[in-house]
Amino acid sequence: MSQRAPAFPKTSARRPSAVWKVLTSTDHKSIGLTYMGVAAVFLVLGGLEALVMRLQLAVPGNRLLAGETYDRFLTMHGTTMIFFVLLPLLLGFTNYLLPLQIGARDMAFPRMNAFSLWLLVGGGLLLYLSPLTGAPSQGWFSYAPLSETPFTPQRGVDLWSAALIVGGYGTTLTAVNVLVTGARLRMRGMLYKRLPMFAWMSWINGFIILFALPCLTAVLLMLEVDRLLGAGLFTRGDPVLWQHYFWLFGHPEIYLLILPAWGLISEIIPVFSRKPIFGYEFVAWSTVAIAFLSFAVYAHHMFAVGLGWPVELAFGTTSMLIAIPTGIKVFNWLATMWKGSVRYTLPMLYAAAFIVQFTFGGVSGVTFAVVPIDWQLTDTYYVVAHFHYVLFGGSLFAVLAGLHYLYPKFTGRFLDERLGRWGFWLNVIGFNGVFLVQHLLGLMGMPRRVYTYPDLPGWGALNLFSTVSGFVLGVGLLLLLVNLIRSRTHGRLAGRDPWNGWTLEWLTDSPPQEGNFSQLPPLHSRRPLWDLKHPDDMDHVRPRRHDKNGHIREEERGHQ
Amino acid sequence: MQSDRASRTHLGMLAFLASDAVIFLLMLVSNIYLRRSEAHGGQSLLEPGRMLVFSVLLWGSSGVLLLAERQRGRGDRVGAGTLYLVTALLGAVFALAQGLEWRSLAAQGGTISSSLFFSTFYTTTGLHGLHVLLGLPVLLALALLSWTGQIGRRAPGVAAAVLYWHFVDAVWLVLYLVFYVWRGP
């Protein structure tokens, strides 16, 4: 590539401020970190909303958030967490890590990348401006006709729709970027079968985003045609159409909120078990299977609608099928740890908690595939417990694992170990305390989406337990936040490759320089850094902590 | 390097259009699905013959665009620029015709709230019209850049813009068949 002389030579003595740099950057690393920062702000907002809701539910007959006020908190909490916390967190990791892992200098379209970020931020701002015109109270699922003008007349719903459409276009453009980056910018020798697991899963995730988000855009456009122009597609037409389209987006959405998280876990577990991932091909191809099936299971959200027995059987079956590729992943992670030299550092602790909690959430998910059980449990707290186990206990814990894993790369410093462990245990205890008991409440028949409940035996005690645990969780996350800020300046220095990793991102400085790599090593296996460190033992089939004679390898001794 | 960037941009546009196509698909399905519940949705108000004339102009614009691309490949900057302009003009005529059709339909009582057929008709053709309108400035920009000699033989953005326009025309073919020709389920 020829270097063009700058058209306007820099003459100003004033350097741009750090804030201005972040706002105008097109570097994928800066954009990735900004995504995470934005997500952190929304996590605080969404978390506070959740805590206020838990306060309301602490005792039966409470009137802290009576009636529609509760619905407003419910709507904001759900929308925030799904669209403006988990999504930007995962997009942040993808942005940061994907080019580094495939040996690229940046994403395929750096300027569009920045545009996507600011579209998402704009969406978030629209969402939090919506209360000014009457807070939306229709829930994040926005079921028509309840979301139509006669039932929810406030204009906030329109801003809510606009927020999701704007943010959704940001995400769609990111998916385009991810797909082209993965398809075109891989370094020489980085075949698809050698992609690091995170890169592989983020790339597949691009396809899900590409086909799931337009379903949301379409259905929101139709809702707004109804609300603003009086068309009546879902009132005089068919309200079930809303549910079909919404869940055609909504179910794949769940998978697009967890695929990159699985990718992070698939990076962390091998490194801290000192073994390559077990069954690479199975982990990779099960991702493709999940991408297809994620669309084929959507109607399991609608078993109570009355779709007819054949349809319900079909979707019940596909929903059970999707447990197979998901289970494959879980077993492969376990098999990777099996007989490995597991180091229980903070990232690994979070990864282990992820496996336990995600498996729990996955299994309770399978119970919904049994149609009669779904009829019994739908719209109870059992559902709430299930999806929080998957999205919080699964996805968010995986993100936290990834955050502890990559923090040294982001900043050049480790997170504080003691503070981190306190945060970890408070998070695990708090999280399970909040949601484990909600399974029981659901089985006892406590309905979801209602602001209060009668004083039935056990309900008050379990709800109080859930609320108290919620505050424990809040303290845990607060400690994490303190750790993130404090360790940036006070943390132990990490160096390039603090965990003795195998993928290309650990080859770069911490934090990596602009353009990422000064030079790239020849690539002929899935673990280029292993090859660099072991020129005598390249492409070793089962590289692990011990050598062929059973002795711990020299270079492994220094690492915890 | 140039051709690599071109192929990248092309692939990116392809991915985006795949995503865009899903929106049109769902809108069409809603039309087909909701039409079942209406005996007379107002489709009889449409004039397939009259609209066919303007549709042919729109589809023809894709042909003109192919010619423009050929001229660009030959290095004929002025010729290519003029053909880009003709493409844009044909698109503009179509958009205008659609606007006039909407006005006449509304005058006859076919409004967005009068029937489910028209709800989906306006939503879908409106979205398509928006695509046409967004394409016009892009085509005009191509014409200007071509005249002033600022696009080389393989400028990456051009292929993507051309792909977009062909997509918009192809979508109209489906919309025309479903809304104007097909009598419903």
Side-chain angles (χ1 to χ4, degrees):
Chain A
M1 205 169 21
S2 62
Q3 282 288 327
R4 255 188 296 174
F8 301 98
K10 278 184 190 142
T11 50
S12 147
R14 260 182 51 193
R15 299 173 72 92
S17 71
V19 175
W20 183 249
K21 263 190 191 162
V22 167
L23 288 177
T24 57
S25 177
T26 57
D27 179 58
H28 71 98
K29 299 181 288 293
S30 165
I31 290 175
L33 292 176
T34 313
Y35 266 117
M36 292 182 211
V38 169
V41 172
F42 283 113
L43 179 65
V44 171
L45 289 170
L48 289 175
E49 284 151 10
L51 284 181
V52 178
M53 279 156 66
R54 269 325 310 173
L55 275 182
Q56 158 63 25
L57 293 169
V59 287
N62 200 3
R63 298 201 58 83
L64 177 70
L65 295 181
E68 207 177 345
T69 317
Y70 181 85
D71 298 346
R72 291 178 172 146
F73 273 82
L74 182 80
T75 307
M76 292 303 269
H77 168 71
T79 313
T80 306
M81 289 302 193
I82 285 184
F83 293 98
F84 299 104
V85 175
L86 271 180
L87 199 58
L89 273 176
L90 295 170
L91 294 180
F93 276 99
T94 304
N95 257 304
Y96 195 97
L97 215 46
L98 180 67
L100 283 172
Q101 283 200 327
I102 63 174
R105 294 172 58 85
D106 205 322
M107 299 285 275
F109 310 108
R111 271 179 293 179
M112 189 171 88
N113 202 15
F115 183 54
S116 310
L117 164 69
W118 297 114
L119 278 181
L120 193 92
V121 174
L125 289 178
L126 274 177
L127 178 69
Y128 275 84
L129 286 176
S130 67
L132 296 180
T133 50
S137 60
Q138 80 285 17
W140 86 276
F141 38 84
S142 199
Y143 284 151
L146 285 176
S147 52
E148 300 269 9
T149 315
F151 300 97
T152 323
Q154 65 266 35
R155 287 281 83 118
V157 181
D158 306 318
L159 279 187
W160 176 88
S161 302
L164 297 196
I165 292 176
V166 171
Y169 267 102
T171 310
T172 305
L173 292 181
T174 305
V176 168
N177 225 333
V178 166
L179 285 175
V180 179
T181 306
R184 286 281 190 269
L185 298 192
R186 283 167 292 130
M187 67 174 282
R188 185 182 296 274
M190 182 64 82
L191 311 173
Y192 283 112
K193 64 175 183 183
R194 287 184 191 151
L195 278 182
M197 226 52 249
F198 176 80
W200 177 262
M201 292 197 196
S202 314
W203 193 65
I204 296 296
N205 202 33
F207 286 97
I208 302 188
I209 295 178
L210 205 63
F211 293 109
L213 273 173
C215 303
L216 179 69
T217 311
V219 79
L220 288 175
L221 286 175
M222 289 164 71
L223 178 69
E224 286 310 310
V225 169
D226 272 12
R227 288 182 56 90
L228 300 175
L229 306 171
L233 291 167
F234 302 119
T235 46
R236 282 182 299 131
D238 190 351
V240 179
L241 193 64
W242 168 273
Q243 292 206 26
H244 277 294
Y245 283 10
F246 181 79
W247 288 116
L248 193 53
F249 146 78
H251 198 82
E253 162 87 1
I254 310 303
Y255 286 91
L256 74 87
L257 289 181
I258 204 156
L259 275 187
W262 286 341
L264 288 170
I265 291 297
S266 308
E267 295 292 331
I268 291 167
I269 287 182
V271 165
F272 293 101
S273 306
R274 305 315 295 159
K275 273 174 70 192
I277 192 155
F278 180 87
Y280 175 97
E281 286 81 4
F282 279 91
V283 182
W285 284 101
S286 63
T287 314
V288 180
I290 286 168
F292 278 107
L293 281 172
S294 69
F295 288 90
V297 303
Y298 81 91
H300 72 211
H301 293 262
M302 305 164 60
F303 284 156
V305 167
L307 296 171
W309 196 224
V311 180
E312 301 200 336
L313 270 184
F315 279 97
T317 311
T318 51
S319 303
M320 287 191 192
L321 273 184
I322 206 165
I324 296 173
T326 313
I328 285 177
K329 285 193 187 335
V330 173
F331 280 113
N332 279 301
W333 293 323
L334 293 178
T336 307
M337 290 170 74
W338 183 261
K339 290 190 176 173
S341 330
V342 181
R343 297 180 280 169
Y344 279 105
T345 54
L346 278 170
M348 190 63 187
L349 277 177
Y350 271 105
F354 159 87
I355 295 186
V356 175
Q357 289 160 180
F358 172 72
T359 305
F360 206 88
V363 169
S364 67
V366 175
T367 60
F368 291 119
V370 183
V371 178
I373 295 183
D374 181 276
W375 286 344
Q376 185 66 26
L377 293 175
T378 193
D379 282 337
T380 68
Y381 262 83
Y382 191 85
V383 182
V384 178
H386 157 68
F387 70 70
H388 280 93
Y389 260 84
V390 178
L391 289 181
F392 194 148
S395 206
L396 193 64
F397 266 74
V399 165
L400 295 185
L403 198 59
H404 285 80
Y405 179 55
L406 288 160
Y407 192 81
K409 183 51 65 185
F410 295 160
T411 61
R413 287 173 190 273
F414 284 100
L415 282 169
D416 183 67
E417 184 79 15
R418 216 165 67 93
L419 207 55
R421 278 180 195 266
W422 272 100
F424 170 77
W425 287 109
L426 287 175
N427 283 338
V428 168
I429 293 167
F431 165 77
N432 287 290
V434 182
F435 296 108
L436 200 60
V437 296
Q438 292 187 359
H439 289 98
L440 293 176
L441 282 168
L443 290 169
M444 292 158 125
M446 178 167 163
R448 64 195 277 216
R449 297 170 186 156
V450 291
Y451 74 90
T452 193
Y453 51 91
D455 192 7
L456 291 170
W459 286 31
L462 288 176
N463 270 301
L464 187 62
F465 185 78
S466 184
T467 300
V468 172
S469 305
F471 281 89
V472 174
L473 180 58
V475 173
L477 288 172
L478 199 65
L479 281 187
L480 174 72
L481 202 63
V482 171
N483 201 354
L484 285 173
I485 296 168
R486 208 173 153 269
S487 299
R488 239 182 87 81
T489 46
H490 290 72
R492 199 154 50 83
L493 285 174
R496 286 189 166 203
D497 184 11
W499 312 115
N500 205 3
W502 293 316
T503 37
L504 285 175
E505 72 267 28
W506 301 110
L507 189 69
T508 60
D509 296 333
S510 307
Q513 76 253 27
E514 211 159 301
N516 296 345
F517 300 97
S518 41
Q519 64 180 54
L520 284 161
L523 193 99
H524 29 67
S525 81
R526 283 173 196 150
R527 285 178 307 280
L529 263 64
W530 171 273
D531 298 343
L532 278 181
K533 290 169 194 163
H534 304 267
D536 53 317
D537 194 16
M538 286 190 354
D539 296 345
H540 196 294
V541 194
R542 306 203 53 191
R544 36 163 85 183
R545 203 168 180 203
H546 300 82
D547 65 14
K548 287 164 196 157
N549 304 320
H551 301 302
I552 292 185
R553 289 175 184 274
E554 186 65 41
E555 74 287 351
E556 295 283 349
R557 282 183 200 148
H559 291 276
Q560 1 160 312
Chain B
M1 198 65 208
Q2 269 291 1
S3 75
D4 176 54
R5 258 182 69 204
S7 89
R8 220 188 283 171
T9 318
H10 196 254
L11 189 67
M13 182 53 89
L14 205 62
F16 178 76
L17 292 178
S19 178
D20 212 26
V22 175
I23 300 183
F24 281 111
L25 184 72
L26 291 188
M27 300 252 172
L28 276 176
V29 169
S30 66
N31 172 269
I32 294 166
Y33 176 70
L34 294 176
R35 244 201 253 185
R36 296 179 317 166
S37 53
E38 286 179 320
H40 305 288
Q43 194 186 18
S44 52
L45 288 182
L46 298 179
E47 295 175 57
R50 187 173 160 280
M51 201 57 199
L52 184 62
V53 177
F54 297 104
S55 304
V56 168
L57 288 184
L58 184 68
W59 296 322
S61 75
S62 261
V64 176
L65 193 55
L66 285 176
L67 291 178
E69 283 297 282
R70 206 167 68 178
Q71 291 310 103
R72 183 166 70 90
R74 288 177 180 165
D76 177 5
R77 296 192 276 111
V78 179
T82 313
L83 288 171
Y84 288 133
L85 181 69
V86 174
T87 312
L89 286 177
L90 288 172
V93 170
F94 173 83
L96 190 67
Q98 198 173 37
L100 292 174
E101 188 202 26
W102 278 21
R103 203 172 66 172
S104 108
L105 284 174
Q108 296 172 72
T111 63
I112 195 161
S113 52
S114 68
S115 76
L116 291 174
F117 176 84
F118 274 121
S119 304
T120 51
F121 171 83
Y122 282 114
T123 313
T124 319
T125 57
L127 192 68
H128 178 266
L130 184 68
H131 278 72
V132 173
L133 292 180
L134 286 175
L136 296 181
V138 177
L139 287 168
L140 288 177
L142 283 188
L144 275 176
L145 289 173
S146 186
W147 283 328
T148 53
Q150 292 181 60
I151 34 180
R153 289 170 57 135
R154 281 183 187 161
V158 182
V162 168
L163 191 65
Y164 173 85
W165 193 254
H166 288 320
F167 169 80
V168 170
D169 286 2
V171 166
W172 182 252
L173 181 64
V174 181
L175 297 196
Y176 180 79
L177 290 175
V178 170
F179 285 113
Y180 289 84
V181 181
W182 187 48
R183 287 291 139 200

PDB file of all heavy atoms in Angstrom, chain B residues 41-62:
ATOM      1  N   GLY B  41     -60.110  -6.169  -0.226  1.00  0.00           N
ATOM      2  CA  GLY B  41     -59.173  -5.312   0.499  1.00  0.00           C
ATOM      3  C   GLY B  41     -58.908  -4.011  -0.199  1.00  0.00           C
ATOM      4  O   GLY B  41     -58.164  -3.183   0.301  1.00  0.00           O
ATOM      5  N   GLY B  42     -59.476  -3.821  -1.390  1.00  0.00           N
ATOM      6  CA  GLY B  42     -59.217  -2.578  -2.102  1.00  0.00           C
ATOM      7  C   GLY B  42     -58.191  -2.730  -3.193  1.00  0.00           C
ATOM      8  O   GLY B  42     -57.798  -1.750  -3.821  1.00  0.00           O
ATOM      9  N   GLN B  43     -57.768  -3.984  -3.433  1.00  0.00           N
ATOM     10  CA  GLN B  43     -56.773  -4.191  -4.477  1.00  0.00           C
ATOM     11  C   GLN B  43     -57.296  -3.730  -5.841  1.00  0.00           C
ATOM     12  O   GLN B  43     -56.525  -3.327  -6.712  1.00  0.00           O
ATOM     13  CB  GLN B  43     -56.372  -5.670  -4.535  1.00  0.00           C
ATOM     14  CG  GLN B  43     -55.113  -5.925  -5.339  1.00  0.00           C
ATOM     15  CD  GLN B  43     -54.827  -7.412  -5.495  1.00  0.00           C
ATOM     16  OE1 GLN B  43     -55.710  -8.243  -5.306  1.00  0.00           O
ATOM     17  NE2 GLN B  43     -53.599  -7.745  -5.840  1.00  0.00           N
ATOM     18  N   SER B  44     -58.647  -3.802  -5.996  1.00  0.00           N
ATOM     19  CA  SER B  44     -59.232  -3.439  -7.296  1.00  0.00           C
ATOM     20  C   SER B  44     -59.000  -1.974  -7.649  1.00  0.00           C
ATOM     21  O   SER B  44     -59.106  -1.582  -8.811  1.00  0.00           O
ATOM     22  CB  SER B  44     -60.732  -3.745  -7.277  1.00  0.00           C
ATOM     23  OG  SER B  44     -61.309  -3.131  -6.146  1.00  0.00           O
ATOM     24  N   LEU B  45     -58.665  -1.149  -6.628  1.00  0.00           N
ATOM     25  CA  LEU B  45     -58.377   0.262  -6.915  1.00  0.00           C
ATOM     26  C   LEU B  45     -57.072   0.436  -7.682  1.00  0.00           C
ATOM     27  O   LEU B  45     -56.864   1.442  -8.357  1.00  0.00           O
ATOM     28  CB  LEU B  45     -58.304   1.061  -5.615  1.00  0.00           C
ATOM     29  CG  LEU B  45     -59.600   1.337  -4.857  1.00  0.00           C
ATOM     30  CD1 LEU B  45     -59.318   2.179  -3.626  1.00  0.00           C
ATOM     31  CD2 LEU B  45     -60.608   2.034  -5.760  1.00  0.00           C
ATOM     32  N   LEU B  46     -56.173  -0.537  -7.530  1.00  0.00           N
ATOM     33  CA  LEU B  46     -54.872  -0.408  -8.187  1.00  0.00           C
ATOM     34  C   LEU B  46     -55.013  -0.554  -9.694  1.00  0.00           C
ATOM     35  O   LEU B  46     -55.903  -1.250 -10.186  1.00  0.00           O
ATOM     36  CB  LEU B  46     -53.916  -1.482  -7.669  1.00  0.00           C
ATOM     37  CG  LEU B  46     -53.572  -1.456  -6.183  1.00  0.00           C
ATOM     38  CD1 LEU B  46     -52.635  -2.607  -5.851  1.00  0.00           C
ATOM     39  CD2 LEU B  46     -52.955  -0.128  -5.794  1.00  0.00           C
ATOM     40  N   GLU B  47     -54.124   0.130 -10.423  1.00  0.00           N
ATOM     41  CA  GLU B  47     -54.124   0.005 -11.889  1.00  0.00           C
ATOM     42  C   GLU B  47     -52.815  -0.628 -12.335  1.00  0.00           C
ATOM     43  O   GLU B  47     -51.816   0.069 -12.538  1.00  0.00           O
ATOM     44  CB  GLU B  47     -54.262   1.381 -12.529  1.00  0.00           C
ATOM     45  CG  GLU B  47     -55.588   2.043 -12.227  1.00  0.00           C
ATOM     46  CD  GLU B  47     -55.622   3.451 -12.794  1.00  0.00           C
ATOM     47  OE1 GLU B  47     -55.428   3.612 -14.016  1.00  0.00           O
ATOM     48  OE2 GLU B  47     -55.819   4.394 -12.016  1.00  0.00           O
ATOM     49  N   PRO B  48     -52.829  -1.989 -12.469  1.00  0.00           N
ATOM     50  CA  PRO B  48     -51.580  -2.684 -12.803  1.00  0.00           C
ATOM     51  C   PRO B  48     -50.996  -2.205 -14.140  1.00  0.00           C
ATOM     52  O   PRO B  48     -49.777  -2.066 -14.266  1.00  0.00           O
ATOM     53  CB  PRO B  48     -51.995  -4.149 -12.901  1.00  0.00           C
ATOM     54  CG  PRO B  48     -53.330  -4.232 -12.259  1.00  0.00           C
ATOM     55  CD  PRO B  48     -53.968  -2.892 -12.353  1.00  0.00           C
ATOM     56  N   GLY B  49     -51.868  -1.911 -15.127  1.00  0.00           N
ATOM     57  CA  GLY B  49     -51.366  -1.517 -16.437  1.00  0.00           C
ATOM     58  C   GLY B  49     -50.596  -0.211 -16.379  1.00  0.00           C
ATOM     59  O   GLY B  49     -49.472  -0.096 -16.871  1.00  0.00           O
ATOM     60  N   ARG B  50     -51.195   0.784 -15.700  1.00  0.00           N
ATOM     61  CA  ARG B  50     -50.558   2.084 -15.620  1.00  0.00           C
ATOM     62  C   ARG B  50     -49.227   1.991 -14.874  1.00  0.00           C
ATOM     63  O   ARG B  50     -48.208   2.543 -15.290  1.00  0.00           O
ATOM     64  CB  ARG B  50     -51.513   3.058 -14.907  1.00  0.00           C
ATOM     65  CG  ARG B  50     -51.052   4.484 -14.912  1.00  0.00           C
ATOM     66  CD  ARG B  50     -52.141   5.397 -14.333  1.00  0.00           C
ATOM     67  NE  ARG B  50     -51.553   6.646 -13.893  1.00  0.00           N
ATOM     68  CZ  ARG B  50     -50.909   6.784 -12.743  1.00  0.00           C
ATOM     69  NH1 ARG B  50     -50.794   5.764 -11.929  1.00  0.00           N
ATOM     70  NH2 ARG B  50     -50.398   7.959 -12.404  1.00  0.00           N
ATOM     71  N   MET B  51     -49.239   1.233 -13.768  1.00  0.00           N
ATOM     72  CA  MET B  51     -48.013   1.133 -12.983  1.00  0.00           C
ATOM     73  C   MET B  51     -46.950   0.341 -13.725  1.00  0.00           C
ATOM     74  O   MET B  51     -45.745   0.558 -13.504  1.00  0.00           O
ATOM     75  CB  MET B  51     -48.322   0.472 -11.630  1.00  0.00           C
ATOM     76  CG  MET B  51     -47.286   0.772 -10.568  1.00  0.00           C
ATOM     77  SD  MET B  51     -47.106   2.562 -10.314  1.00  0.00           S
ATOM     78  CE  MET B  51     -45.522   2.654  -9.520  1.00  0.00           C
ATOM     79  N   LEU B  52     -47.402  -0.575 -14.603  1.00  0.00           N
ATOM     80  CA  LEU B  52     -46.427  -1.384 -15.344  1.00  0.00           C
ATOM     81  C   LEU B  52     -45.500  -0.489 -16.164  1.00  0.00           C
ATOM     82  O   LEU B  52     -44.295  -0.739 -16.246  1.00  0.00           O
ATOM     83  CB  LEU B  52     -47.151  -2.385 -16.254  1.00  0.00           C
ATOM     84  CG  LEU B  52     -46.238  -3.349 -17.021  1.00  0.00           C
ATOM     85  CD1 LEU B  52     -45.457  -4.229 -16.058  1.00  0.00           C
ATOM     86  CD2 LEU B  52     -47.040  -4.218 -17.986  1.00  0.00           C
ATOM     87  N   VAL B  53     -46.083   0.580 -16.746  1.00  0.00           N
ATOM     88  CA  VAL B  53     -45.272   1.487 -17.563  1.00  0.00           C
ATOM     89  C   VAL B  53     -44.105   2.033 -16.743  1.00  0.00           C
ATOM     90  O   VAL B  53     -42.947   1.982 -17.153  1.00  0.00           O
ATOM     91  CB  VAL B  53     -46.144   2.647 -18.085  1.00  0.00           C
ATOM     92  CG1 VAL B  53     -45.284   3.639 -18.870  1.00  0.00           C
ATOM     93  CG2 VAL B  53     -47.293   2.106 -18.927  1.00  0.00           C
ATOM     94  N   PHE B  54     -44.447   2.514 -15.539  1.00  0.00           N
ATOM     95  CA  PHE B  54     -43.388   3.108 -14.705  1.00  0.00           C
ATOM     96  C   PHE B  54     -42.455   2.049 -14.150  1.00  0.00           C
ATOM     97  O   PHE B  54     -41.261   2.287 -13.961  1.00  0.00           O
ATOM     98  CB  PHE B  54     -44.018   3.947 -13.593  1.00  0.00           C
ATOM     99  CG  PHE B  54     -44.793   5.096 -14.139  1.00  0.00           C
ATOM    100  CD1 PHE B  54     -46.185   5.073 -14.173  1.00  0.00           C
ATOM    101  CD2 PHE B  54     -44.124   6.206 -14.647  1.00  0.00           C
ATOM    102  CE1 PHE B  54     -46.892   6.125 -14.701  1.00  0.00           C
ATOM    103  CE2 PHE B  54     -44.836   7.261 -15.183  1.00  0.00           C
ATOM    104  CZ  PHE B  54     -46.226   7.225 -15.220  1.00  0.00           C
ATOM    105  N   SER B  55     -43.022   0.848 -13.909  1.00  0.00           N
ATOM    106  CA  SER B  55     -42.167  -0.244 -13.434  1.00  0.00           C
ATOM    107  C   SER B  55     -41.121  -0.586 -14.474  1.00  0.00           C
ATOM    108  O   SER B  55     -39.951  -0.816 -14.145  1.00  0.00           O
ATOM    109  CB  SER B  55     -43.010  -1.478 -13.123  1.00  0.00           C
ATOM    110  OG  SER B  55     -44.009  -1.159 -12.190  1.00  0.00           O
ATOM    111  N   VAL B  56     -41.564  -0.611 -15.750  1.00  0.00           N
ATOM    112  CA  VAL B  56     -40.618  -0.927 -16.814  1.00  0.00           C
ATOM    113  C   VAL B  56     -39.510   0.124 -16.852  1.00  0.00           C
ATOM    114  O   VAL B  56     -38.332  -0.198 -17.057  1.00  0.00           O
ATOM    115  CB  VAL B  56     -41.351  -1.023 -18.172  1.00  0.00           C
ATOM    116  CG1 VAL B  56     -40.354  -1.051 -19.321  1.00  0.00           C
ATOM    117  CG2 VAL B  56     -42.222  -2.266 -18.197  1.00  0.00           C
ATOM    118  N   LEU B  57     -39.876   1.382 -16.596  1.00  0.00           N
ATOM    119  CA  LEU B  57     -38.839   2.423 -16.545  1.00  0.00           C
ATOM    120  C   LEU B  57     -37.828   2.120 -15.439  1.00  0.00           C
ATOM    121  O   LEU B  57     -36.624   2.254 -15.621  1.00  0.00           O
ATOM    122  CB  LEU B  57     -39.478   3.790 -16.289  1.00  0.00           C
ATOM    123  CG  LEU B  57     -40.273   4.396 -17.446  1.00  0.00           C
ATOM    124  CD1 LEU B  57     -40.757   5.790 -17.058  1.00  0.00           C
ATOM    125  CD2 LEU B  57     -39.426   4.469 -18.704  1.00  0.00           C
ATOM    126  N   LEU B  58     -38.342   1.686 -14.283  1.00  0.00           N
ATOM    127  CA  LEU B  58     -37.439   1.398 -13.163  1.00  0.00           C
ATOM    128  C   LEU B  58     -36.536   0.216 -13.506  1.00  0.00           C
ATOM    129  O   LEU B  58     -35.321   0.264 -13.296  1.00  0.00           O
ATOM    130  CB  LEU B  58     -38.245   1.107 -11.894  1.00  0.00           C
ATOM    131  CG  LEU B  58     -37.390   0.901 -10.646  1.00  0.00           C
ATOM    132  CD1 LEU B  58     -36.703   2.188 -10.226  1.00  0.00           C
ATOM    133  CD2 LEU B  58     -38.212   0.360  -9.484  1.00  0.00           C
ATOM    134  N   TRP B  59     -37.159  -0.860 -14.033  1.00  0.00           N
ATOM    135  CA  TRP B  59     -36.334  -2.026 -14.376  1.00  0.00           C
ATOM    136  C   TRP B  59     -35.342  -1.663 -15.474  1.00  0.00           C
ATOM    137  O   TRP B  59     -34.208  -2.126 -15.475  1.00  0.00           O
ATOM    138  CB  TRP B  59     -37.213  -3.202 -14.801  1.00  0.00           C
ATOM    139  CG  TRP B  59     -38.100  -3.680 -13.678  1.00  0.00           C
ATOM    140  CD1 TRP B  59     -37.772  -3.753 -12.368  1.00  0.00           C
ATOM    141  CD2 TRP B  59     -39.465  -4.107 -13.766  1.00  0.00           C
ATOM    142  NE1 TRP B  59     -38.832  -4.201 -11.622  1.00  0.00           N
ATOM    143  CE2 TRP B  59     -39.884  -4.431 -12.446  1.00  0.00           C
ATOM    144  CE3 TRP B  59     -40.386  -4.257 -14.814  1.00  0.00           C
ATOM    145  CZ2 TRP B  59     -41.179  -4.903 -12.167  1.00  0.00           C
ATOM    146  CZ3 TRP B  59     -41.655  -4.732 -14.528  1.00  0.00           C
ATOM    147  CH2 TRP B  59     -42.048  -5.037 -13.222  1.00  0.00           C
ATOM    148  N   GLY B  60     -35.826  -0.824 -16.399  1.00  0.00           N
ATOM    149  CA  GLY B  60     -34.926  -0.372 -17.465  1.00  0.00           C
ATOM    150  C   GLY B  60     -33.712   0.363 -16.918  1.00  0.00           C
ATOM    151  O   GLY B  60     -32.615   0.289 -17.469  1.00  0.00           O
ATOM    152  N   SER B  61     -33.912   1.063 -15.779  1.00  0.00           N
ATOM    153  CA  SER B  61     -32.791   1.815 -15.213  1.00  0.00           C
ATOM    154  C   SER B  61     -31.655   0.882 -14.822  1.00  0.00           C
ATOM    155  O   SER B  61     -30.481   1.250 -14.887  1.00  0.00           O
ATOM    156  CB  SER B  61     -33.250   2.641 -14.008  1.00  0.00           C
ATOM    157  OG  SER B  61     -33.438   1.808 -12.897  1.00  0.00           O
ATOM    158  N   SER B  62     -32.002  -0.352 -14.433  1.00  0.00           N
ATOM    159  CA  SER B  62     -30.965  -1.338 -14.135  1.00  0.00           C
ATOM    160  C   SER B  62     -30.155  -1.660 -15.385  1.00  0.00           C
ATOM    161  O   SER B  62     -28.927  -1.812 -15.326  1.00  0.00           O
ATOM    162  CB  SER B  62     -31.583  -2.625 -13.577  1.00  0.00           C
ATOM    163  OG  SER B  62     -31.491  -2.646 -12.178  1.00  0.00           O
TER     164      SER B  62
END
